[in-house]
Amino acid sequence: MSSPPTPSLGGPPPPSRRQRLRAWWADRHALPRFGFWLISRGTTVLAMCLVLYLLNGLLIGWAPAYEVMTGITSPATVHPQWCAWLLSLTGWAVIPAIVGAAAGYVITEQIQAHHARELADVLAELRRLAEPPQTPPSAGGGS
C-alpha cells in the first residue's frame, strides 16, 4: 500500500521524465550544425562503423581487423573477405570523411567568427585610421 502523493504548495507539477526527454530532443536544433549532425545522424554512422569493426574483430581477429581498417593489410588476404572488404571501405572512405567534416566545420566556425564585421565597416575604419591626425584648435586665441 502506497501513500498518496503529497499535495504541492502551488504551481504546475514538475515535468515528467518523458517530458524532459522530449524537451531535450527538441533542444538539439539549437546546437551548432556539427553538434546537431553528431547527435541526429552521426551516432548512427559511428555506431555502424563500430559494429563493423567488432564483427571483423570477432571473425578475423583484432589485429588483422585493425590492419585492414587502416589499410596496412589487404582485405583479400584475410578470411572471410566479405566483411573485411566492408571494413576496408569504411576505414578508407567513411572515417576520413567524418574527420574531414569535423575539421572543416571547426575551421569554418573560426573563420566566420573573425568575419563578423561587414567589409564596408572595416574599410571605413581603415580609411579613418589612414588619415593624418587633425591638430586641435588652440585655446589661447592670440599671439
Side-chain angles (χ1 to χ4, degrees):
M1 290 189 241
S2 64
S3 62
T6 59
S8 64
L9 299 176
S16 66
R17 179 179 294 170
R18 183 175 181 207
Q19 289 171 329
R20 286 193 312 262
L21 183 62
R22 288 182 72 192
W24 173 81
W25 188 248
D27 287 345
R28 74 189 190 284
H29 291 288
L31 292 172
R33 290 180 298 174
F34 182 69
F36 175 75
W37 177 84
L38 194 60
I39 288 177
S40 61
R41 292 176 187 90
T43 52
T44 305
V45 172
L46 293 174
M48 294 296 285
C49 293
L50 180 64
V51 166
L52 192 57
Y53 180 75
L54 292 174
L55 176 67
N56 277 277
L58 293 173
L59 292 176
I60 66 175
W62 298 106
Y66 172 77
E67 291 172 356
V68 166
M69 186 179 74
T70 57
I72 297 171
T73 303
S74 170
T77 61
V78 297
H79 295 286
Q81 289 184 2
W82 64 270
C83 62
W85 280 105
L86 292 174
L87 183 65
S88 177
L89 288 173
T90 299
W92 182 74
V94 176
I95 293 174
I98 292 170
V99 171
Y105 175 76
V106 169
I107 291 169
T108 301
E109 288 296 315
Q110 289 299 314
I111 289 171
Q112 287 177 352
H114 291 289
H115 284 126
R117 297 172 56 189
E118 292 292 325
L119 182 60
D121 296 338
V122 174
L123 291 175
E125 183 178 347
L126 287 174
R127 284 187 192 108
R128 183 182 55 79
L129 292 173
E131 292 176 0
Q134 296 178 356
T135 58
S138 62
S143 30

